[in-house]
Amino acid sequence: MTRLALVMIVRNEARSLARCLESVRGVVDRIIVLDTGSTDATVEIARSLGAEVHHAPWPNDFAAARNAALDLSDADWNLILDGDEWLQGGAEALALLPPLGGGTPAFVGCGRIAEADSSGDMRVFAARLLPRGVRFAGRVHEQPATDLPQALLPLTIGHDGYAPAQLAAKQGRNEALLRAGIAERPDDPLLHYHLGRQHYIEGRHGEAADSFVAANRLAAPDLPIRLSLVVYTIVALRLAGRFEEALALVDAEQDNWEHAPDFFYAVAELYLEWAYRNPETARDELLPVVECAWLKCLQIGEKPELTGSIEGIGSWRAAEKLAHLYAALGLDGEAGRYAAMSRDMRAGAKVAA
C-alpha cells in the first residue's frame, strides 16, 4: 500500500511539468499522471522523471478526469497538483502524514496557492490533499465531494497559470465549462462566482459584475468564499461604472464584515472613485468615508486566515493609501507619518516572510 501519491491530470504541459515533478522528488512515494491527449513532450517528460503515465480521452469535465486518475491510486493520501503548479513549501508536513486505518482520523488537507504574477499577494486556499476514497465533484473548479473536515496545512503550492501567456492558451475553455455547469445547476452560486472571476481576469468587468451579482443573490451567508464574492462584486461594479449598485451593496453588507479589512479597502476605493466623479461633495462628504475605511483596515489589522484576502490590506497598503490621501489634501505631517508607517510595516512583513 502506498502512503502518499501525486495524482495529476495533464495535457500539453511540457513547459512546466518537469518543475512540478522535481518539486515532489523524495516527498511522494508514487507519481500517477493521466494524460488526456498531449501533442507535445508531456508524456516523455513525465516518464523520464519516474511517473506512471496513463491515457484517457478528455471528458470535458475536470472532476471526471481527476476521479479517473484517482481510481489508479492505491495510496492512503493523494496529493493533487496541476502541471502549472509545483510544491513550493510544506514537504515536512507531508512527511508526517500517518497511514490510514486503525482509527486514524481522516481529513481533507488544504494548502495556500501562491500566484507567480501580480496577483501573488492574494491568499487563496485549496483542497489538495485527499485521503483514500475521496473523489471530486464539479465540471470545472471542482471540489472534494465529502463531509470530512478540512484542515489548513503548512503547504504552499506555486502556480503560474494566470500569467498572460498561460491565460491566453486557456481562454474560452473554462468559460464554456462554467456555462455548461450553470445550465445544469443554475442556482449554484459557486459556478456564477467562478464565471465572474473568469470575466474579471479577462478584463470584462461588466460581465464579471453580472455574474458576481447573480452569485450574491444565490449565496448563503456562510458560503466559504462569501467575503471574496462580496469584495469582487464591489470592485467589478466600480470598474464597470455601476456605482449605485456598488454603494447599495456596501450598505447591505457593511455590518457583516467588521473583521475583514479587504471589505473596507474595497469601500475606500469605491468612495474615492465616486469622489473623483463628484468633486462638489468630495471633500466634505466622500473623502472622509475613504479616510475612515482605510483607518478601519489598520484597526482590524492583517487577517491571513481569510481566503481571498490580500497581504498588506490590513497594514502597509492601507497606510500607504492614507499617506497619498493626506498628501493630496495638503496635510503634509499626516502624509509623512503614514508614509513612514507604511515603510516600516512593509519592511516588517518582508522580515516575517
Side-chain angles (χ1 to χ4, degrees):
M1 181 73 70
T2 307
R3 187 186 67 89
L4 174 62
L6 172 66
V7 179
M8 304 180 68
I9 56 172
V10 299
R11 184 176 184 180
N12 292 336
E13 297 286 1
R15 176 190 68 87
S16 56
L17 183 59
R19 176 185 62 190
C20 176
L21 299 185
E22 291 285 4
S23 76
V24 299
R25 185 186 295 276
V27 177
V28 302
D29 306 302
R30 185 181 177 192
I31 298 175
I32 299 168
V33 170
L34 181 65
D35 185 83
T36 62
S38 293
T39 57
D40 62 6
T42 293
V43 170
E44 291 76 11
I45 292 170
R47 284 180 176 147
S48 73
L49 292 171
E52 306 168 23
V53 179
H54 303 262
H55 299 271
W58 171 240
N60 211 35
D61 184 314
F62 275 94
R66 291 207 190 276
N67 292 341
L70 285 165
D71 288 342
L72 300 167
S73 175
D74 67 344
D76 281 344
W77 298 95
N78 295 296
L79 176 64
I80 310 299
L81 295 178
D82 289 333
D84 55 8
E85 296 177 336
W86 64 98
L87 184 63
Q88 199 173 84
E92 301 83 0
L94 294 176
L96 296 175
L97 289 171
L100 294 182
T104 302
F107 59 88
V108 171
C110 298
R112 179 178 173 188
I113 309 299
E115 296 293 345
D117 61 12
S118 61
S119 64
D121 293 328
M122 179 177 285
R123 301 178 178 107
V124 177
F125 306 103
R128 292 309 182 87
L129 186 70
L130 274 57
R132 185 176 59 250
V134 172
R135 295 295 183 265
F136 284 98
R139 187 186 293 267
V140 64
H141 295 291
E142 62 283 1
Q143 297 295 319
T146 178
D147 292 328
L148 288 174
Q150 294 195 359
L152 181 59
L153 303 179
L155 290 178
T156 304
I157 296 167
H159 177 237
D160 66 0
Y162 288 153
Q166 280 61 257
L167 271 179
K170 298 175 182 177
Q171 191 167 15
R173 181 200 66 186
N174 284 1
E175 181 177 347
L177 290 174
L178 286 164
R179 290 195 182 280
I182 289 171
E184 296 168 354
R185 303 196 309 278
D187 293 333
D188 187 335
L190 287 174
L191 291 173
H192 291 280
Y193 167 78
H194 286 302
L195 182 58
R197 284 266 289 147
Q198 192 67 37
H199 292 324
Y200 184 87
I201 290 167
E202 295 171 3
R204 296 153 63 184
H205 299 130
E207 292 170 270
D210 290 340
S211 293
F212 289 138
V213 167
N216 267 288
R217 186 176 64 252
L218 296 165
D222 60 349
L223 187 72
I225 53 91
R226 184 63 190 261
L227 169 62
S228 181
L229 170 58
V230 169
V231 170
Y232 266 117
T233 307
I234 295 169
V235 174
L237 287 169
R238 172 174 64 82
L239 292 173
R242 292 158 59 176
F243 290 94
E244 299 293 347
E245 291 175 75
L247 293 166
L249 179 61
V250 167
D251 288 343
E253 292 283 346
Q254 61 185 349
D255 291 339
N256 299 327
W257 304 110
E258 286 292 316
H259 64 293
D262 297 80
F263 174 79
F264 290 96
Y265 197 93
V267 170
E269 299 269 277
L270 172 65
Y271 272 85
L272 184 62
E273 180 68 21
W274 193 233
Y276 286 142
R277 294 173 180 246
N278 296 273
E280 69 282 358
T281 58
R283 188 167 189 119
D284 293 334
E285 296 180 21
L286 301 177
L287 291 181
V289 177
V290 176
E291 178 189 25
C292 287
W294 278 324
L295 288 171
K296 181 72 171 180
C297 293
L298 293 177
Q299 177 188 342
I300 298 170
E302 291 289 285
K303 293 291 181 178
E305 73 278 8
L306 295 177
T307 188
S309 63
I310 303 291
E311 290 182 12
I313 288 291
S315 59
W316 65 266
R317 292 182 193 269
E320 183 178 65
K321 290 288 189 178
L322 283 164
H324 293 161
L325 175 64
Y326 291 135
L329 294 173
L331 302 173
D332 296 338
E334 288 294 278
R337 185 163 75 89
Y338 280 93
M341 181 188 299
S342 178
R343 288 193 298 270
D344 292 345
M345 287 177 165
R346 191 167 192 173
K350 288 181 178 179
V351 170

